Amino acid sequence: DAGVIQSPRHEVTEMGQEVTLRCKPISGHDYLFWYRQTMMRGLELLIYFNNNVPIDDSGMPEDRFSAKMPNASFSTLKIQPSEPRDSAVYFCASSRAQGVRQPQHFGDGTRLSIL
Amino acid sequence: EDQVTQSPEALRLQEGESSSLNCSYTVSGLRGLFWYRQDPGKGPEFLFTLYSAGEEKEKERLKATLTKKESFLHITAPKPEDSATYLCAVQGPQGAQKLVFGQGTRLTINP
């Protein structure tokens, strides 16, 4: 089975521009997660969805960040307007719903640089 | 608030030199503790889930153990390909599937 697929792998853009990160979860997984990883703060959960519905967005830094999941096979994380402090690696992960101890499976991330 | 602290931050070993990585956690009502491996430029790769104190899981040269306050990842006779960052995460009762990660231990195995 294909794993979690993220695009683009790398994104370099200027401050103030809109950035859209994309994720395709593993087929059959009911949960989708967006994380941000930095040297200072490690891996932080931003938001997660269950059956395409946002469940917890308490980790979203501010209103400039938004996430959608229009269907079971696609999600986006959008930053508008972007700022240099948003530079990080953004990961998407997915997991099954059976039981609460199902492991999350991660994509290889999008490395975002805001100049 | 759930907290996870991993030590050491970095560890350098010679090939064949066994050691252990530590993950201390504070969570009210642990539902699961997860170990992941992360290679440079890649996403975390799932290794183990531990549910209750006393539980152990093994995979090749790795063995994970769990107590009520911490987990250890034991590496026996490591090889250079075991070099990676090892991440520990806990799942508490706050929300199904929500994980809190530690900062990781960067492991380097020299040939």
Side-chain angles (χ1 to χ4, degrees):
Chain A
D1 280 345
V4 175
I5 300 172
Q6 293 186 244
S7 64
R9 289 297 316 278
H10 303 275
E11 175 86 16
V12 180
T13 192
E14 293 188 347
M15 181 175 64
Q17 297 298 306
E18 178 179 289
V19 174
T20 300
L21 311 182
R22 298 173 175 80
C23 175
K24 176 179 169 58
I26 294 172
S27 177
H29 282 194
D30 301 276
Y31 284 87
L32 183 138
F33 307 82
W34 282 101
Y35 288 87
R36 178 170 67 177
Q37 188 175 43
T38 61
M39 289 293 293
M40 289 296 295
R41 299 175 67 90
L43 198 59
E44 301 176 285
L45 178 65
L46 299 177
I47 184 172
Y48 76 95
F49 296 81
N50 181 22
N51 291 325
N52 313 336
V53 176
I55 302 300
D56 185 344
D57 66 355
S58 59
M60 296 286 262
E62 47 197 277
D63 292 345
R64 298 184 296 104
F65 286 68
S66 63
K68 294 181 179 180
M69 192 165 186
N71 58 63
S73 58
F74 183 67
S75 177
T76 60
L77 178 67
K78 189 171 292 188
I79 308 173
Q80 168 63 20
S82 58
E83 296 183 3
R85 60 191 167 124
D86 302 331
S87 298
V89 182
Y90 291 81
F91 288 102
C92 176
S94 68
S95 68
R96 295 184 185 278
Q98 295 96 329
V100 296
R101 294 160 174 165
Q102 292 293 320
Q104 297 176 20
H105 298 272
F106 286 75
D108 282 337
T110 295
R111 182 172 296 275
L112 178 63
S113 297
I114 308 297
L115 306 178
Chain B
E1 184 178 323
D2 299 345
Q3 284 193 315
V4 179
T5 302
Q6 292 189 244
S7 61
E9 289 186 13
L11 181 62
R12 189 178 294 270
L13 301 172
Q14 289 298 121
E15 184 173 0
E17 181 184 2
S18 302
S19 188
S20 297
L21 313 182
N22 177 263
C23 171
S24 297
Y25 62 89
T26 303
V27 61
S28 55
L30 179 73
R31 289 187 170 183
L33 185 140
F34 298 79
W35 281 99
Y36 284 83
R37 168 193 171 124
Q38 186 174 22
D39 292 299
K42 299 286 189 179
E45 176 188 349
F46 170 70
L47 293 173
F48 305 109
T49 309
L50 301 166
Y51 302 128
S52 57
E55 188 176 3
E56 298 183 354
K57 293 273 181 75
E58 283 190 67
K59 180 180 180 180
E60 295 182 358
R61 294 175 293 281
L62 301 177
K63 183 169 81 171
T65 62
L66 181 65
T67 72
K68 289 187 177 180
K69 294 183 178 180
E70 57 191 351
S71 176
F72 291 94
L73 184 65
H74 307 278
I75 302 176
T76 302
K79 298 181 178 181
E81 54 261 43
D82 295 321
S83 297
T85 295
Y86 290 85
L87 297 167
C88 168
V90 296
Q91 184 178 60
Q94 287 90 341
Q97 303 281 0
K98 190 171 181 177
L99 295 181
V100 174
F101 280 84
Q103 291 280 73
T105 293
R106 188 172 65 255
L107 177 65
T108 304
I109 308 298
N110 295 316

